[in-house]
mmCIF file of all heavy atoms in Angstrom:
data_model
loop_
_atom_site.group_PDB
_atom_site.id
_atom_site.type_symbol
_atom_site.label_atom_id
_atom_site.label_comp_id
_atom_site.label_asym_id
_atom_site.label_seq_id
_atom_site.Cartn_x
_atom_site.Cartn_y
_atom_site.Cartn_z
ATOM 1 N N ILE U 1 -89.384 -62.786 12.351
ATOM 2 C CA ILE U 1 -88.766 -62.201 11.160
ATOM 3 C C ILE U 1 -89.637 -62.555 9.961
ATOM 4 O O ILE U 1 -89.866 -63.728 9.678
ATOM 5 C CB ILE U 1 -87.339 -62.737 10.952
ATOM 6 C CG1 ILE U 1 -86.471 -62.443 12.181
ATOM 7 C CG2 ILE U 1 -86.715 -62.118 9.693
ATOM 8 C CD1 ILE U 1 -85.101 -63.083 12.124
ATOM 9 N N LYS U 2 -90.129 -61.564 9.254
ATOM 10 C CA LYS U 2 -91.066 -61.797 8.171
ATOM 11 C C LYS U 2 -90.339 -61.994 6.841
ATOM 12 O O LYS U 2 -89.233 -61.501 6.636
ATOM 13 C CB LYS U 2 -92.069 -60.643 8.079
ATOM 14 C CG LYS U 2 -92.802 -60.376 9.395
ATOM 15 C CD LYS U 2 -93.418 -61.640 9.981
ATOM 16 C CE LYS U 2 -94.016 -61.403 11.349
ATOM 17 N NZ LYS U 2 -94.505 -62.648 11.980
ATOM 18 N N ILE U 3 -91.005 -62.712 5.943
ATOM 19 C CA ILE U 3 -90.388 -63.127 4.676
ATOM 20 C C ILE U 3 -91.185 -62.610 3.485
ATOM 21 O O ILE U 3 -92.420 -62.687 3.455
ATOM 22 C CB ILE U 3 -90.324 -64.674 4.585
ATOM 23 C CG1 ILE U 3 -89.528 -65.273 5.747
ATOM 24 C CG2 ILE U 3 -89.744 -65.106 3.235
ATOM 25 C CD1 ILE U 3 -88.062 -64.984 5.710
ATOM 26 N N ILE U 4 -90.469 -62.088 2.499
ATOM 27 C CA ILE U 4 -91.017 -61.878 1.158
ATOM 28 C C ILE U 4 -90.172 -62.726 0.220
ATOM 29 O O ILE U 4 -88.970 -62.486 0.074
ATOM 30 C CB ILE U 4 -90.975 -60.400 0.732
ATOM 31 C CG1 ILE U 4 -91.937 -59.565 1.590
ATOM 32 C CG2 ILE U 4 -91.352 -60.256 -0.747
ATOM 33 C CD1 ILE U 4 -91.913 -58.072 1.291
ATOM 34 N N PHE U 5 -90.774 -63.755 -0.371
ATOM 35 C CA PHE U 5 -90.026 -64.638 -1.267
ATOM 36 C C PHE U 5 -89.810 -63.966 -2.624
ATOM 37 O O PHE U 5 -90.690 -63.265 -3.136
ATOM 38 C CB PHE U 5 -90.761 -65.959 -1.467
ATOM 39 C CG PHE U 5 -90.632 -66.911 -0.317
ATOM 40 C CD1 PHE U 5 -91.730 -67.266 0.452
ATOM 41 C CD2 PHE U 5 -89.395 -67.459 0.007
ATOM 42 C CE1 PHE U 5 -91.607 -68.139 1.513
ATOM 43 C CE2 PHE U 5 -89.254 -68.329 1.059
ATOM 44 C CZ PHE U 5 -90.365 -68.673 1.818
ATOM 45 N N THR U 6 -88.617 -64.180 -3.189
ATOM 46 C CA THR U 6 -88.302 -63.676 -4.528
ATOM 47 C C THR U 6 -87.759 -64.849 -5.336
ATOM 48 O O THR U 6 -86.823 -65.516 -4.902
ATOM 49 C CB THR U 6 -87.245 -62.562 -4.466
ATOM 50 O OG1 THR U 6 -86.033 -63.080 -3.897
ATOM 51 C CG2 THR U 6 -87.731 -61.405 -3.603
ATOM 52 N N THR U 7 -88.332 -65.102 -6.504
ATOM 53 C CA THR U 7 -87.915 -66.269 -7.275
ATOM 54 C C THR U 7 -88.299 -66.126 -8.738
ATOM 55 O O THR U 7 -89.187 -65.336 -9.081
ATOM 56 C CB THR U 7 -88.554 -67.551 -6.700
ATOM 57 O OG1 THR U 7 -88.111 -68.690 -7.444
ATOM 58 C CG2 THR U 7 -90.070 -67.490 -6.770
ATOM 59 N N ALA U 8 -87.642 -66.895 -9.579
ATOM 60 C CA ALA U 8 -87.968 -66.921 -11.002
ATOM 61 C C ALA U 8 -88.964 -68.030 -11.322
ATOM 62 O O ALA U 8 -89.369 -68.195 -12.471
ATOM 63 C CB ALA U 8 -86.696 -67.120 -11.826
ATOM 64 N N TYR U 9 -89.382 -68.789 -10.312
ATOM 65 C CA TYR U 9 -90.222 -69.973 -10.527
ATOM 66 C C TYR U 9 -91.554 -69.847 -9.804
ATOM 67 O O TYR U 9 -91.605 -69.551 -8.610
ATOM 68 C CB TYR U 9 -89.497 -71.232 -10.051
ATOM 69 C CG TYR U 9 -88.138 -71.409 -10.677
ATOM 70 C CD1 TYR U 9 -86.992 -70.951 -10.018
ATOM 71 C CD2 TYR U 9 -87.990 -72.002 -11.915
ATOM 72 C CE1 TYR U 9 -85.732 -71.105 -10.588
ATOM 73 C CE2 TYR U 9 -86.736 -72.153 -12.494
ATOM 74 C CZ TYR U 9 -85.614 -71.690 -11.824
ATOM 75 O OH TYR U 9 -84.372 -71.841 -12.395
ATOM 76 N N ARG U 10 -92.640 -70.124 -10.515
ATOM 77 C CA ARG U 10 -93.967 -70.071 -9.918
ATOM 78 C C ARG U 10 -94.264 -71.303 -9.062
ATOM 79 O O ARG U 10 -95.154 -71.289 -8.221
ATOM 80 C CB ARG U 10 -95.044 -69.977 -11.014
ATOM 81 C CG ARG U 10 -95.010 -68.684 -11.803
ATOM 82 C CD ARG U 10 -96.087 -68.667 -12.868
ATOM 83 N NE ARG U 10 -96.052 -67.432 -13.636
ATOM 84 C CZ ARG U 10 -96.661 -66.309 -13.290
ATOM 85 N NH1 ARG U 10 -97.366 -66.266 -12.169
ATOM 86 N NH2 ARG U 10 -96.582 -65.232 -14.037
ATOM 87 N N ASP U 11 -93.510 -72.380 -9.272
ATOM 88 C CA ASP U 11 -93.831 -73.664 -8.652
ATOM 89 C C ASP U 11 -93.838 -73.618 -7.132
ATOM 90 O O ASP U 11 -94.460 -74.451 -6.479
ATOM 91 C CB ASP U 11 -92.825 -74.733 -9.092
ATOM 92 C CG ASP U 11 -92.795 -74.890 -10.598
ATOM 93 O OD1 ASP U 11 -93.680 -74.333 -11.265
ATOM 94 O OD2 ASP U 11 -91.893 -75.588 -11.105
ATOM 95 N N TYR U 12 -93.108 -72.661 -6.542
ATOM 96 C CA TYR U 12 -92.962 -72.629 -5.090
ATOM 97 C C TYR U 12 -94.006 -71.754 -4.399
ATOM 98 O O TYR U 12 -93.979 -71.619 -3.172
ATOM 99 C CB TYR U 12 -91.578 -72.094 -4.714
ATOM 100 C CG TYR U 12 -90.425 -72.920 -5.222
ATOM 101 C CD1 TYR U 12 -89.670 -72.495 -6.311
ATOM 102 C CD2 TYR U 12 -90.081 -74.118 -4.606
ATOM 103 C CE1 TYR U 12 -88.598 -73.245 -6.765
ATOM 104 C CE2 TYR U 12 -89.012 -74.877 -5.057
ATOM 105 C CZ TYR U 12 -88.279 -74.424 -6.146
ATOM 106 O OH TYR U 12 -87.223 -75.166 -6.586
ATOM 107 N N ALA U 13 -94.925 -71.170 -5.154
ATOM 108 C CA ALA U 13 -95.837 -70.183 -4.580
ATOM 109 C C ALA U 13 -96.682 -70.750 -3.439
ATOM 110 O O ALA U 13 -96.821 -70.124 -2.385
ATOM 111 C CB ALA U 13 -96.748 -69.622 -5.668
ATOM 112 N N VAL U 14 -97.238 -71.936 -3.634
ATOM 113 C CA VAL U 14 -98.110 -72.518 -2.608
ATOM 114 C C VAL U 14 -97.336 -72.758 -1.322
ATOM 115 O O VAL U 14 -97.775 -72.386 -0.225
ATOM 116 C CB VAL U 14 -98.733 -73.837 -3.107
ATOM 117 C CG1 VAL U 14 -99.495 -74.506 -1.967
ATOM 118 C CG2 VAL U 14 -99.670 -73.561 -4.275
ATOM 119 N N GLU U 15 -96.150 -73.375 -1.446
ATOM 120 C CA GLU U 15 -95.346 -73.649 -0.260
ATOM 121 C C GLU U 15 -94.918 -72.356 0.425
ATOM 122 O O GLU U 15 -94.858 -72.272 1.650
ATOM 123 C CB GLU U 15 -94.121 -74.483 -0.622
ATOM 124 C CG GLU U 15 -93.388 -75.030 0.586
ATOM 125 C CD GLU U 15 -92.340 -76.066 0.217
ATOM 126 O OE1 GLU U 15 -92.118 -76.285 -0.995
ATOM 127 O OE2 GLU U 15 -91.751 -76.644 1.140
ATOM 128 N N GLY U 16 -94.630 -71.333 -0.380
ATOM 129 C CA GLY U 16 -94.235 -70.044 0.181
ATOM 130 C C GLY U 16 -95.330 -69.439 1.034
ATOM 131 O O GLY U 16 -95.086 -68.964 2.146
ATOM 132 N N PHE U 17 -96.557 -69.480 0.555
ATOM 133 C CA PHE U 17 -97.651 -68.891 1.321
ATOM 134 C C PHE U 17 -98.047 -69.767 2.507
ATOM 135 O O PHE U 17 -98.558 -69.270 3.509
ATOM 136 C CB PHE U 17 -98.853 -68.631 0.418
ATOM 137 C CG PHE U 17 -98.696 -67.402 -0.430
ATOM 138 C CD1 PHE U 17 -98.653 -67.479 -1.802
ATOM 139 C CD2 PHE U 17 -98.578 -66.155 0.160
ATOM 140 C CE1 PHE U 17 -98.501 -66.344 -2.576
ATOM 141 C CE2 PHE U 17 -98.422 -65.006 -0.604
ATOM 142 C CZ PHE U 17 -98.380 -65.100 -1.983
ATOM 143 N N GLU U 18 -97.809 -71.077 2.418
ATOM 144 C CA GLU U 18 -98.045 -71.948 3.572
ATOM 145 C C GLU U 18 -97.134 -71.565 4.741
ATOM 146 O O GLU U 18 -97.461 -71.812 5.897
ATOM 147 C CB GLU U 18 -97.807 -73.414 3.187
ATOM 148 C CG GLU U 18 -98.930 -74.001 2.338
ATOM 149 C CD GLU U 18 -98.660 -75.430 1.925
ATOM 150 O OE1 GLU U 18 -97.528 -75.906 2.123
ATOM 151 O OE2 GLU U 18 -99.581 -76.067 1.401
ATOM 152 N N LEU U 19 -95.990 -70.958 4.436
ATOM 153 C CA LEU U 19 -95.074 -70.487 5.473
ATOM 154 C C LEU U 19 -95.443 -69.088 5.958
ATOM 155 O O LEU U 19 -94.692 -68.456 6.681
ATOM 156 C CB LEU U 19 -93.633 -70.486 4.938
ATOM 157 C CG LEU U 19 -93.014 -71.867 4.737
ATOM 158 C CD1 LEU U 19 -91.711 -71.774 3.960
ATOM 159 C CD2 LEU U 19 -92.775 -72.534 6.077
ATOM 160 N N GLN U 20 -96.619 -68.619 5.542
ATOM 161 C CA GLN U 20 -97.148 -67.321 5.952
ATOM 162 C C GLN U 20 -96.234 -66.175 5.525
ATOM 163 O O GLN U 20 -96.020 -65.214 6.273
ATOM 164 C CB GLN U 20 -97.393 -67.292 7.467
ATOM 165 C CG GLN U 20 -98.419 -68.326 7.913
ATOM 166 C CD GLN U 20 -98.724 -68.257 9.394
ATOM 167 O OE1 GLN U 20 -97.852 -67.962 10.194
ATOM 168 N NE2 GLN U 20 -99.964 -68.510 9.766
ATOM 169 N N ALA U 21 -95.712 -66.293 4.322
ATOM 170 C CA ALA U 21 -94.907 -65.212 3.766
ATOM 171 C C ALA U 21 -95.783 -63.980 3.542
ATOM 172 O O ALA U 21 -96.978 -64.090 3.261
ATOM 173 C CB ALA U 21 -94.277 -65.647 2.450
ATOM 174 N N VAL U 22 -95.179 -62.806 3.671
ATOM 175 C CA VAL U 22 -95.895 -61.562 3.431
ATOM 176 C C VAL U 22 -96.312 -61.462 1.971
ATOM 177 O O VAL U 22 -97.424 -61.043 1.640
ATOM 178 C CB VAL U 22 -95.015 -60.351 3.802
ATOM 179 C CG1 VAL U 22 -95.702 -59.040 3.435
ATOM 180 C CG2 VAL U 22 -94.677 -60.374 5.281
ATOM 181 N N ASP U 23 -95.412 -61.901 1.077
ATOM 182 C CA ASP U 23 -95.701 -61.829 -0.361
ATOM 183 C C ASP U 23 -94.759 -62.764 -1.104
ATOM 184 O O ASP U 23 -93.817 -63.318 -0.519
ATOM 185 C CB ASP U 23 -95.541 -60.396 -0.876
ATOM 186 C CG ASP U 23 -96.499 -60.068 -2.018
ATOM 187 O OD1 ASP U 23 -96.868 -61.012 -2.764
ATOM 188 O OD2 ASP U 23 -96.879 -58.901 -2.160
ATOM 189 N N TYR U 24 -95.020 -62.919 -2.394
ATOM 190 C CA TYR U 24 -94.267 -63.830 -3.242
ATOM 191 C C TYR U 24 -94.033 -63.104 -4.559
ATOM 192 O O TYR U 24 -94.975 -62.881 -5.335
ATOM 193 C CB TYR U 24 -95.096 -65.105 -3.450
ATOM 194 C CG TYR U 24 -94.440 -66.198 -4.238
ATOM 195 C CD1 TYR U 24 -93.797 -67.256 -3.597
ATOM 196 C CD2 TYR U 24 -94.489 -66.207 -5.625
ATOM 197 C CE1 TYR U 24 -93.213 -68.281 -4.318
ATOM 198 C CE2 TYR U 24 -93.904 -67.216 -6.361
ATOM 199 C CZ TYR U 24 -93.280 -68.248 -5.701
ATOM 200 O OH TYR U 24 -92.701 -69.271 -6.419
ATOM 201 N N LEU U 25 -92.781 -62.687 -4.802
ATOM 202 C CA LEU U 25 -92.466 -61.874 -5.976
ATOM 203 C C LEU U 25 -91.761 -62.692 -7.038
ATOM 204 O O LEU U 25 -90.789 -63.394 -6.750
ATOM 205 C CB LEU U 25 -91.577 -60.691 -5.570
ATOM 206 C CG LEU U 25 -92.115 -59.776 -4.471
ATOM 207 C CD1 LEU U 25 -91.126 -58.654 -4.204
ATOM 208 C CD2 LEU U 25 -93.484 -59.231 -4.820
ATOM 209 N N LEU U 26 -92.250 -62.587 -8.268
ATOM 210 C CA LEU U 26 -91.625 -63.279 -9.392
ATOM 211 C C LEU U 26 -90.634 -62.351 -10.096
ATOM 212 O O LEU U 26 -90.938 -61.193 -10.371
ATOM 213 C CB LEU U 26 -92.685 -63.749 -10.396
ATOM 214 C CG LEU U 26 -93.492 -64.988 -10.010
ATOM 215 C CD1 LEU U 26 -94.598 -65.217 -11.024
ATOM 216 C CD2 LEU U 26 -92.584 -66.214 -9.947
ATOM 217 N N LYS U 27 -89.449 -62.865 -10.369
ATOM 218 C CA LYS U 27 -88.439 -62.108 -11.102
ATOM 219 C C LYS U 27 -88.793 -62.080 -12.590
ATOM 220 O O LYS U 27 -89.344 -63.056 -13.106
ATOM 221 C CB LYS U 27 -87.056 -62.734 -10.907
ATOM 222 C CG LYS U 27 -86.590 -62.774 -9.451
ATOM 223 C CD LYS U 27 -85.274 -63.523 -9.343
ATOM 224 C CE LYS U 27 -84.796 -63.605 -7.893
ATOM 225 N NZ LYS U 27 -83.539 -64.366 -7.767
ATOM 226 N N PRO U 28 -88.416 -61.011 -13.294
ATOM 227 C CA PRO U 28 -87.784 -59.772 -12.788
ATOM 228 C C PRO U 28 -88.795 -58.947 -11.989
ATOM 229 O O PRO U 28 -89.958 -58.859 -12.356
ATOM 230 C CB PRO U 28 -87.344 -59.063 -14.056
ATOM 231 C CG PRO U 28 -88.301 -59.545 -15.110
ATOM 232 C CD PRO U 28 -88.602 -60.972 -14.756
ATOM 233 N N ILE U 29 -88.311 -58.350 -10.906
ATOM 234 C CA ILE U 29 -89.187 -57.658 -9.967
ATOM 235 C C ILE U 29 -89.211 -56.165 -10.282
ATOM 236 O O ILE U 29 -88.172 -55.499 -10.247
ATOM 237 C CB ILE U 29 -88.711 -57.877 -8.516
ATOM 238 C CG1 ILE U 29 -88.703 -59.380 -8.193
ATOM 239 C CG2 ILE U 29 -89.598 -57.125 -7.532
ATOM 240 C CD1 ILE U 29 -87.988 -59.709 -6.899
ATOM 241 N N SER U 30 -90.381 -55.644 -10.569
ATOM 242 C CA SER U 30 -90.514 -54.212 -10.833
ATOM 243 C C SER U 30 -90.599 -53.439 -9.518
ATOM 244 O O SER U 30 -90.945 -54.002 -8.465
ATOM 245 C CB SER U 30 -91.777 -53.941 -11.656
ATOM 246 O OG SER U 30 -92.929 -54.206 -10.877
ATOM 247 N N PHE U 31 -90.303 -52.160 -9.578
ATOM 248 C CA PHE U 31 -90.392 -51.327 -8.381
ATOM 249 C C PHE U 31 -91.828 -51.291 -7.857
ATOM 250 O O PHE U 31 -92.059 -51.386 -6.651
ATOM 251 C CB PHE U 31 -89.929 -49.898 -8.687
ATOM 252 C CG PHE U 31 -90.177 -48.946 -7.549
ATOM 253 C CD1 PHE U 31 -89.399 -48.985 -6.398
ATOM 254 C CD2 PHE U 31 -91.224 -48.023 -7.614
ATOM 255 C CE1 PHE U 31 -89.646 -48.113 -5.329
ATOM 256 C CE2 PHE U 31 -91.467 -47.149 -6.555
ATOM 257 C CZ PHE U 31 -90.675 -47.203 -5.416
ATOM 258 N N GLU U 32 -92.791 -51.184 -8.762
ATOM 259 C CA GLU U 32 -94.185 -51.086 -8.358
ATOM 260 C C GLU U 32 -94.633 -52.334 -7.600
ATOM 261 O O GLU U 32 -95.328 -52.247 -6.583
ATOM 262 C CB GLU U 32 -95.080 -50.872 -9.589
ATOM 263 C CG GLU U 32 -94.943 -49.515 -10.241
ATOM 264 C CD GLU U 32 -93.662 -49.368 -11.050
ATOM 265 O OE1 GLU U 32 -93.017 -50.408 -11.363
ATOM 266 O OE2 GLU U 32 -93.290 -48.220 -11.358
ATOM 267 N N ARG U 33 -94.194 -53.503 -8.080
ATOM 268 C CA ARG U 33 -94.601 -54.752 -7.433
ATOM 269 C C ARG U 33 -93.930 -54.906 -6.071
ATOM 270 O O ARG U 33 -94.553 -55.363 -5.105
ATOM 271 C CB ARG U 33 -94.246 -55.954 -8.335
ATOM 272 C CG ARG U 33 -94.722 -57.288 -7.771
ATOM 273 C CD ARG U 33 -96.223 -57.350 -7.700
ATOM 274 N NE ARG U 33 -96.665 -58.597 -7.074
ATOM 275 C CZ ARG U 33 -96.846 -58.765 -5.764
ATOM 276 N NH1 ARG U 33 -96.618 -57.750 -4.940
ATOM 277 N NH2 ARG U 33 -97.246 -59.917 -5.279
ATOM 278 N N LEU U 34 -92.645 -54.524 -5.973
ATOM 279 C CA LEU U 34 -91.957 -54.607 -4.691
ATOM 280 C C LEU U 34 -92.555 -53.608 -3.704
ATOM 281 O O LEU U 34 -92.709 -53.933 -2.515
ATOM 282 C CB LEU U 34 -90.468 -54.353 -4.879
ATOM 283 C CG LEU U 34 -89.626 -54.517 -3.606
ATOM 284 C CD1 LEU U 34 -88.313 -55.254 -3.909
ATOM 285 C CD2 LEU U 34 -89.301 -53.168 -2.974
ATOM 286 N N LEU U 35 -92.903 -52.426 -4.161
ATOM 287 C CA LEU U 35 -93.519 -51.417 -3.289
ATOM 288 C C LEU U 35 -94.834 -51.942 -2.719
ATOM 289 O O LEU U 35 -95.128 -51.751 -1.530
ATOM 290 C CB LEU U 35 -93.761 -50.124 -4.065
ATOM 291 C CG LEU U 35 -94.465 -48.995 -3.297
ATOM 292 C CD1 LEU U 35 -93.635 -48.558 -2.094
ATOM 293 C CD2 LEU U 35 -94.731 -47.813 -4.222
ATOM 294 N N LYS U 36 -95.611 -52.631 -3.538
ATOM 295 C CA LYS U 36 -96.866 -53.214 -3.062
ATOM 296 C C LYS U 36 -96.596 -54.235 -1.956
ATOM 297 O O LYS U 36 -97.317 -54.277 -0.949
ATOM 298 C CB LYS U 36 -97.610 -53.878 -4.220
ATOM 299 C CG LYS U 36 -98.930 -54.510 -3.811
ATOM 300 C CD LYS U 36 -99.624 -55.163 -4.995
ATOM 301 C CE LYS U 36 -100.932 -55.829 -4.552
ATOM 302 N NZ LYS U 36 -101.609 -56.507 -5.700
ATOM 303 N N ALA U 37 -95.550 -55.057 -2.132
ATOM 304 C CA ALA U 37 -95.205 -56.067 -1.131
ATOM 305 C C ALA U 37 -94.798 -55.409 0.189
ATOM 306 O O ALA U 37 -95.195 -55.852 1.276
ATOM 307 C CB ALA U 37 -94.077 -56.959 -1.655
ATOM 308 N N VAL U 38 -93.992 -54.348 0.101
ATOM 309 C CA VAL U 38 -93.562 -53.638 1.312
ATOM 310 C C VAL U 38 -94.753 -52.991 2.004
ATOM 311 O O VAL U 38 -94.865 -53.008 3.240
ATOM 312 C CB VAL U 38 -92.479 -52.594 0.976
ATOM 313 C CG1 VAL U 38 -92.172 -51.725 2.199
ATOM 314 C CG2 VAL U 38 -91.208 -53.279 0.490
ATOM 315 N N ASN U 39 -95.676 -52.428 1.218
ATOM 316 C CA ASN U 39 -96.881 -51.845 1.805
ATOM 317 C C ASN U 39 -97.725 -52.906 2.503
ATOM 318 O O ASN U 39 -98.329 -52.644 3.555
ATOM 319 C CB ASN U 39 -97.706 -51.130 0.740
ATOM 320 C CG ASN U 39 -97.198 -49.731 0.426
ATOM 321 O OD1 ASN U 39 -96.676 -49.057 1.304
ATOM 322 N ND2 ASN U 39 -97.334 -49.307 -0.818
ATOM 323 N N ASN U 40 -97.756 -54.127 1.930
ATOM 324 C CA ASN U 40 -98.466 -55.234 2.583
ATOM 325 C C ASN U 40 -97.847 -55.516 3.952
ATOM 326 O O ASN U 40 -98.553 -55.756 4.927
ATOM 327 C CB ASN U 40 -98.388 -56.498 1.725
ATOM 328 C CG ASN U 40 -99.265 -56.425 0.495
ATOM 329 O OD1 ASN U 40 -100.176 -55.597 0.431
ATOM 330 N ND2 ASN U 40 -98.996 -57.277 -0.474
ATOM 331 N N TYR U 41 -96.529 -55.484 3.992
ATOM 332 C CA TYR U 41 -95.825 -55.719 5.260
ATOM 333 C C TYR U 41 -96.212 -54.656 6.287
ATOM 334 O O TYR U 41 -96.542 -54.973 7.437
ATOM 335 C CB TYR U 41 -94.313 -55.709 5.032
ATOM 336 C CG TYR U 41 -93.529 -55.673 6.333
ATOM 337 C CD1 TYR U 41 -93.237 -56.842 7.026
ATOM 338 C CD2 TYR U 41 -93.117 -54.448 6.882
ATOM 339 C CE1 TYR U 41 -92.552 -56.801 8.233
ATOM 340 C CE2 TYR U 41 -92.427 -54.407 8.078
ATOM 341 C CZ TYR U 41 -92.152 -55.582 8.746
ATOM 342 O OH TYR U 41 -91.481 -55.538 9.954
ATOM 343 N N PHE U 42 -96.149 -53.381 5.891
ATOM 344 C CA PHE U 42 -96.472 -52.311 6.826
ATOM 345 C C PHE U 42 -97.930 -52.383 7.290
ATOM 346 O O PHE U 42 -98.233 -52.104 8.450
ATOM 347 C CB PHE U 42 -96.192 -50.945 6.192
ATOM 348 C CG PHE U 42 -94.770 -50.511 6.279
ATOM 349 C CD1 PHE U 42 -94.030 -50.247 5.135
ATOM 350 C CD2 PHE U 42 -94.157 -50.359 7.511
ATOM 351 C CE1 PHE U 42 -92.708 -49.842 5.219
ATOM 352 C CE2 PHE U 42 -92.834 -49.949 7.610
ATOM 353 C CZ PHE U 42 -92.111 -49.693 6.458
ATOM 354 N N ASP U 43 -98.832 -52.756 6.375
ATOM 355 C CA ASP U 43 -100.245 -52.857 6.739
ATOM 356 C C ASP U 43 -100.465 -53.895 7.837
ATOM 357 O O ASP U 43 -101.300 -53.722 8.735
ATOM 358 C CB ASP U 43 -101.084 -53.234 5.516
ATOM 359 C CG ASP U 43 -101.201 -52.086 4.528
ATOM 360 O OD1 ASP U 43 -100.922 -50.933 4.923
ATOM 361 O OD2 ASP U 43 -101.556 -52.348 3.359
#
């Protein structure tokens, strides 16, 4: 099960990617940024 992290805090970015997350989105999340994350997943 793949993960895209969503958070208001930048502090967790390193730990998030260490867990091999597909992407790491900072709130507020725009449609364009979320679409890019989903495209990363499909790729």
